[in-house]
Amino acid sequence: MDALTDLLDGPRARGAFLLRSVLAPPWAIRIADRAPLTLLYPVDGDAWVVPDREPPVRIGPGDIAVVRGPEPYTVAGDPATPPQIVIRPGQVSQTPDGDELCEEMDLGVRTWGDTAEDTPGAGVLISGTYQMDGEVSRRLLAALPQVLVLPADAWHSPLPELLSAEVVRDEPGQEVVLDRLLDLLLIAVLRAWFARPEAGVPGWYAAQGDPVVGPALRLLHERPAHGWTVAALAAETGVSRAALGRRFTELVGEPPMAYLTSWRLALAADLLREPDATIAAVARKVGYGSPFALSAAFKRVRGVSPQEHRRTRGTGSAAAVS
């Protein structure tokens, strides 16, 4: 298993918010929902993603934009248009003055807007939003810019059109179908994005092709619970401990054991979302000898205890220690 596989194995939408918006020009929506990640797919008409601290980014029909939260941003038909709608946490839509718009703009199954689809110049935009932090790993979010755009001509996939067709269907089990389609679309987009030269991939990704560091990374990802030391990792990869430590730090940006700690705790954070997982069981799965050892490392690196992490990530139950 490689680092990219592990990275992309993290997204797990659970009741993701998917919406087809039909908007008459000039339109602009302020997104302040604090969601960790959103995909935007313009079906008709151009759209602009306007972050607060970065230049506007255009997305045309067929392009896919991935927007990393939780910072607010604006999506508009023209970047100069002031927002007429604000989306707040819980996907509540309001005017800038706070008047509710959800019922007023309801156009049918997962469809929302202020005009008919055949209105000249109307923008049609599909959005898919991961609503909980734990649905997308922090390591994945840290690897992404605030806004990335995969142009329509940069890849070929049936997934955008399939999602467009499925989002307006009202069938049994449709929520699960849409969750999985959103996951597949995100994974496909990110895999294509990371292959592009402008992606600015993180050190751990670029290092996968290195003859020394690549095998070491694969071992850490395949066997995170193993009792690794730099010496043991060096022996497995056929180089000296000093050579591995130097090369790994140079390419990845941190020493092997620091990377392993970060990876173990990222796995633990995701496992802790499962309501039946005990801290002891999670500790064993990620290579810590006791719940206390995991808790101490988790608190030191992430600033909160495993129990606090579970409470703030909406697991619905406190973690047992044994």
Side-chain angles (χ1 to χ4, degrees):
M1 183 179 292
D2 59 58
L4 182 59
T5 297
D6 277 329
L7 185 77
L8 297 181
D9 191 47
R12 289 291 186 274
R14 293 172 171 85
F17 183 78
L18 285 113
L19 188 68
R20 191 170 187 269
S21 301
V22 184
L23 300 157
W27 62 270
I29 304 172
R30 178 70 169 169
I31 310 297
D33 58 3
R34 300 199 59 79
L37 202 70
T38 297
L39 273 74
L40 301 172
Y41 169 47
V43 179
D44 289 313
D46 290 346
W48 290 79
V49 181
V50 188
D52 285 358
R53 298 179 180 86
E54 297 181 11
V57 179
R58 176 188 170 275
I59 46 176
D63 297 345
I64 303 286
V66 178
V67 187
R68 173 175 53 80
E71 292 80 8
Y73 57 96
T74 298
V75 182
D78 184 308
T81 303
Q84 307 104 345
I85 301 164
V86 181
I87 307 298
R88 304 196 185 278
Q91 301 302 321
V92 173
S93 55
Q94 299 177 333
T95 67
D97 294 330
D99 297 328
E100 297 289 336
L101 291 171
C102 293
E103 292 187 10
E104 178 182 332
M105 300 184 71
D106 185 6
L107 297 177
V109 178
R110 299 184 195 87
T111 303
W112 175 92
D114 60 4
T115 190
E117 190 171 337
D118 58 1
T119 301
V124 180
L125 179 72
I126 292 175
S127 55
T129 302
Y130 288 82
Q131 301 191 80
M132 296 172 60
D133 287 348
E135 292 178 323
V136 186
S137 72
R138 190 162 74 170
R139 183 177 289 272
L140 172 58
L141 295 174
L144 302 178
Q146 185 177 3
V147 183
L148 71 83
V149 176
L150 187 65
D153 60 4
W155 71 317
H156 300 284
S157 172
L159 290 170
E161 291 186 5
L162 182 58
L163 182 64
S164 179
E166 291 289 338
V167 74
V168 294
R169 296 185 65 184
D170 190 14
E171 302 287 344
Q174 192 67 7
E175 183 175 287
V176 176
V177 170
L178 292 172
D179 282 352
R180 297 293 75 80
L181 277 176
L182 182 62
D183 288 343
L184 287 170
L185 180 58
L186 174 62
I187 290 168
V189 167
L190 292 181
R191 188 168 58 184
W193 166 256
F194 278 123
R196 293 175 65 82
E198 70 269 26
V201 296
W204 56 259
Y205 179 83
Q208 291 181 104
D210 184 79
V212 173
V213 179
L217 279 168
R218 284 190 287 277
L219 286 168
L220 295 179
H221 280 260
E222 288 171 359
R223 297 155 59 191
H226 184 73
W228 292 111
T229 63
V230 177
L233 198 59
E236 290 273 2
T237 55
V239 297
S240 71
R241 181 173 61 180
L244 175 62
R246 181 173 58 252
R247 185 69 173 165
F248 196 104
T249 303
E250 176 187 344
L251 294 184
V252 178
E254 58 184 336
M257 294 302 99
Y259 180 89
L260 177 59
T261 296
S262 176
W263 175 232
R264 284 172 167 172
L265 295 180
L267 289 174
D270 287 343
L271 289 169
L272 286 164
R273 293 191 67 251
E274 303 300 328
D276 296 329
T278 66
I279 295 179
V282 171
R284 288 191 296 270
K285 286 183 178 180
V286 301
Y288 285 91
S290 68
F292 176 79
L294 173 60
S295 296
F298 206 96
K299 182 70 177 286
R300 182 180 71 252
V301 174
R302 293 191 164 231
V304 296
S305 69
Q307 293 94 331
E308 291 169 324
H309 171 81
R310 286 189 95 157
R311 286 195 295 270
T312 59
R313 296 303 182 266
T315 56
S317 64
V321 172
S322 60

